[in-house]
Amino acid sequence: MDSLIEKIKNMELSKVEVQIANYILNQIDTVGMMTSSSLAQAIGVSDTSVIRFIRKLGFEKYGDFRKQMNEQLTKRYEAKQNAQTPSAKYRLTKERLQQSDFMEKVSGWVLNNIEGSLLKITPDLLQQITRTLLQSQHIYVAGFRGTVSCVMYLCSKLNLLLPHVQPIVHADSSALETMVDIGKQDCLFLISFSRYSEMSEKIIKIAKQNGSKIILLTDYETAPFARYADLLLTAKVEGMGFTNSYIAPFCIIELIILALTSANIPSVEKRLNQLDALVVKEKLY
């Protein structure tokens, strides 16, 4: 990555090439997920100009450039994750908690996570997610280790509104056994944050191969398997403590549930009425 950046900086560039180079340098963490057409459109130049510039960088095809960008980003994030071990985070947490104003800092940190996460969600994205969930025959909600709490909360709310919601929370063969039935009319809602579970990538690949819709809630657009997602949500989960903070993801889940509730779908209202009648009849408050 550093050699590529250095090469761009030392090249003699035309006016159009300067535009392309500046965009790549400014969007170094996300450009690998863009097609040549989407990159050209974002910059405001032709596809031909982009392809020509990529070849000038030494790549035979745009796909080679994209692959290298994604591979380098994965290595960077893996190195970052390995450096941030639980023990290292724990030592940092102890230092923070010894500060007299740590309660004020915690509240500020949490609010910043929530605001930064919700600002990235557009009405159009929320509408697409709502439509995908409503149109899916089966909804598989997956997440492992720390994200299990998010998965179970989302499933508990979705079960009130929609049928056939299946949680997947064990990173073993049972996850694969459940995912083997996913099809084109179904949806995978995967929740995964660093350090990313290897099982997350395995099941998202299964969903992709089977033609299912994929909604991914993760921490970065450059997460190792973000490129497989049809709809991508990002949440800030870095906390003051030595573990991830899931307050922002919970807020996003709440937003999705409220969007579903306000969709005025007759089947949703009918389901809620049926469930309410059963609860009253059986006195299961």
Side-chain angles (χ1 to χ4, degrees), residues 72-283:
Q72 291 299 318
L73 283 171
T74 299
K75 289 178 182 178
R76 278 174 57 192
Y77 281 112
E78 286 177 349
K80 181 180 178 182
Q81 292 161 27
N82 291 334
Q84 294 180 336
T85 61
S87 58
K89 288 184 178 180
Y90 179 70
R91 288 192 295 271
L92 181 60
T93 300
K94 288 180 67 177
E95 293 175 9
R96 287 171 175 164
L97 295 181
Q98 289 170 2
Q99 299 172 12
S100 59
D101 61 344
F102 88 91
M103 289 184 65
E104 182 181 344
K105 287 185 176 180
V106 168
S107 62
W109 197 297
V110 168
L111 289 173
N112 180 65
N113 279 0
I114 294 172
E115 290 174 0
S117 301
L118 295 182
L119 281 173
K120 293 184 177 182
I121 302 176
T122 64
D124 181 61
L125 175 59
L126 189 60
Q127 188 178 44
Q128 288 184 64
I129 291 170
T130 302
R131 189 186 305 117
T132 297
L133 292 172
L134 288 170
Q135 292 177 350
S136 296
Q137 288 187 1
H138 296 83
I139 301 170
Y140 297 80
V141 185
F144 310 103
R145 301 190 68 178
T147 60
V148 169
S149 58
C150 300
V151 170
M152 298 313 296
Y153 181 71
L154 176 56
C155 284
S156 69
K157 301 300 182 182
L158 284 178
N159 270 316
L160 294 173
L161 305 172
L162 302 170
H164 309 303
V165 178
Q166 174 70 54
I168 303 174
V169 295
H170 299 294
D172 54 27
S173 60
S174 64
L176 302 180
E177 291 164 2
T178 304
M179 284 295 299
V180 75
D181 294 320
I182 196 168
K184 293 181 179 179
Q185 304 303 316
D186 303 326
C187 166
L188 169 65
F189 195 124
L190 176 63
I191 305 174
S192 184
F193 303 101
S194 56
R195 308 178 204 177
Y196 312 102
S197 168
E198 289 185 5
M199 184 58 73
S200 293
E201 186 161 11
K202 294 180 189 302
I203 65 172
I204 202 171
K205 285 183 176 180
I206 292 173
K208 194 69 176 178
Q209 290 167 2
N210 289 7
S212 311
K213 283 287 186 179
I214 299 170
I215 303 171
L216 174 62
L217 174 55
T218 188
D219 42 4
Y220 297 106
E221 290 89 347
T222 50
F225 34 79
R227 61 187 180 276
Y228 297 111
D230 296 296
L231 299 167
L232 180 64
L233 294 157
T234 58
K236 300 179 71 173
V237 295
E238 185 178 355
M240 285 193 70
F242 61 94
T243 60
N244 285 338
S245 171
Y246 296 116
I247 296 175
F250 271 105
C251 286
I252 290 175
I253 290 170
E254 188 76 6
L255 182 64
I256 292 170
I257 296 301
L258 290 173
L260 282 168
T261 305
S262 64
N264 294 322
I265 306 298
S267 60
V268 171
E269 187 173 352
K270 180 181 178 181
R271 182 176 175 80
L272 281 172
N273 289 334
Q274 290 175 331
L275 286 170
D276 189 52
L278 284 171
V279 168
V280 171
K281 180 183 177 180
E282 302 298 336
K283 298 181 180 180

Side-chain angles (χ1 to χ4, degrees), residues 1 4-5 8 20-21 23-25 27-36 39 43 50-51 53-73:
M1 190 73 73
L4 179 64
I5 293 172
I8 290 175
I20 301 171
Y23 189 91
I24 290 174
L25 291 174
Q27 306 293 332
I28 200 77
D29 284 348
T30 57
V31 72
M33 294 182 289
M34 303 175 74
T35 64
S36 59
L39 178 57
I43 301 170
V50 169
I51 298 299
F53 180 73
I54 295 305
R55 287 176 178 167
K56 193 170 183 177
L57 287 176
F59 297 95
E60 183 178 348
K61 297 181 294 185
Y62 182 82
D64 298 332
F65 165 75
R66 192 176 178 184
K67 180 181 179 182
Q68 181 170 318
M69 295 297 289
N70 285 325
E71 287 177 351
Q72 291 299 318
L73 283 171

